[in-house]
Amino acid sequence: EAQVTQNPRYLITVTGKKLTVTCSQNMNHEYMSWYRQDPGLGLRQIYYSMNVEVTDKGDVPEGYKVSRKEKRNFPLILESPSPNQTSLYFCASRKDREQNSPLHFGNGTRLTVT
Amino acid sequence: SQKIEQNSEALNIQEGKTATLTCNYTNYSPAYLQWYRQDPGRGPVFLLLIRENEKEKRKERLKVTFDTTLKQSLFHITASQPADSATYLCALAGYSSASKIIFGSGTRLSIRP
């Protein structure tokens, strides 16, 4: 089944403790992206990647890192999480860099930072 | 700055009626407008894409219109069913692969039997 898989689904951590949220897609998609979703603010892009070893900042990149060493994986790293990073996170992929290709989303990771 | 507005209030519709959701935008000239459905605890799922030079697009019970003069898209679900209850997001994208995709905050739709 074609899908985007994120892990974990739920994560509670404390301020300053490094964490990684994994994202993997099995559709051989070139483009991958991370979003956070907060009430009333919609989906905001954190980082995106057009292809392997190519990553760029989105709208809200502060406090986050990403890497794209393989085509299928795009982990999101929080080196020193803070409470304002408490949010619902989605990884997404699409076939190519063309904006008329639909995005395929994972089922989300709900992160709480205390 | 670029902005998308969707009905912030939830929409409650009687089963069988047509649900109409609105997406308005400012300070943007999108090449494409997309609609997604999001169920609680799940990621958004792509429904329809309409291009700036298209006035209307249909898929089964779904219809999307795109008015670049009014800077508005309307999303219609005809013969609505309780299973259509979800949050619906609109998203705008430019031609360039480097341009951002901007999402609205969504409208929650409830279809009552």
Side-chain angles (χ1 to χ4, degrees):
Chain A
E1 181 191 350
Q3 58 186 3
V4 177
T5 303
Q6 293 178 230
N7 279 298
R9 289 293 310 275
Y10 301 92
L11 182 56
I12 301 174
T13 190
V14 296
T15 299
K17 187 175 181 183
K18 181 180 178 179
L19 66 91
T20 299
V21 184
T22 63
C23 174
S24 180
Q25 50 92 6
N26 62 0
M27 296 169 279
N28 200 37
H29 283 175
E30 285 187 5
Y31 178 98
M32 297 185 74
S33 183
W34 276 102
Y35 294 87
R36 60 179 288 173
Q37 188 175 39
D38 301 288
L41 294 178
L43 286 161
R44 293 181 293 166
Q45 190 177 51
I46 302 170
Y47 269 94
Y48 64 97
S49 169
M50 295 280 199
N51 215 324
V52 176
E53 301 291 1
V54 180
T55 62
D56 281 292
K57 295 178 180 178
D59 292 319
V60 288
E62 294 78 21
Y64 305 95
K65 283 174 58 177
V66 292
S67 68
R68 188 94 182 271
K69 294 187 171 62
E70 307 162 283
K71 199 170 187 178
R72 60 169 37 228
N73 295 324
F74 191 44
L76 179 70
I77 302 153
L78 284 71
E79 295 269 4
S80 183
S82 62
N84 65 11
Q85 292 178 300
T86 292
S87 188
L88 180 57
Y89 291 86
F90 289 101
C91 180
S93 71
R94 71 173 185 235
K95 183 180 65 169
D96 52 38
R97 59 181 58 209
E98 297 305 318
Q99 299 279 44
N100 60 352
S101 297
L103 285 165
H104 299 256
F105 285 85
N107 278 328
T109 295
R110 186 168 291 282
L111 172 65
T112 303
V113 184
T114 61
Chain B
S1 62
Q2 300 159 340
K3 196 174 178 183
I4 300 183
E5 287 187 356
Q6 297 187 247
N7 316 59
S8 56
E9 301 288 327
L11 199 58
N12 293 296
I13 300 291
Q14 179 75 42
E15 181 177 8
K17 302 288 187 186
T18 296
T20 298
L21 284 65
T22 305
C23 176
N24 294 301
Y25 60 93
T26 55
N27 297 322
Y28 201 100
S29 295
Y32 311 104
L33 191 146
Q34 303 177 20
W35 283 90
Y36 289 80
R37 169 185 172 138
Q38 186 174 20
D39 292 288
R42 309 296 293 269
V45 174
F46 172 77
L47 295 174
L48 277 170
L49 177 145
I50 187 166
R51 292 172 166 77
E52 63 166 345
N53 59 353
E54 295 175 316
K55 296 284 188 218
E56 183 179 296
K57 200 83 170 276
R58 291 176 186 259
K59 180 182 175 183
E60 297 171 353
R61 293 184 297 111
L62 309 180
K63 184 178 87 170
V64 172
T65 63
F66 194 9
D67 189 326
T68 54
T69 302
L70 289 178
K71 295 187 181 296
Q72 180 181 80
S73 174
L74 298 178
F75 177 80
H76 307 272
I77 305 176
T78 58
S80 59
Q81 305 165 2
D84 295 325
S85 298
T87 296
Y88 292 86
L89 311 175
C90 70
L92 305 177
Y95 280 112
S96 167
S97 59
S99 68
K100 292 183 290 190
I101 297 178
I102 304 172
F103 282 86
S105 55
T107 298
R108 190 164 59 187
L109 175 66
S110 294
I111 308 296
R112 60 181 186 274

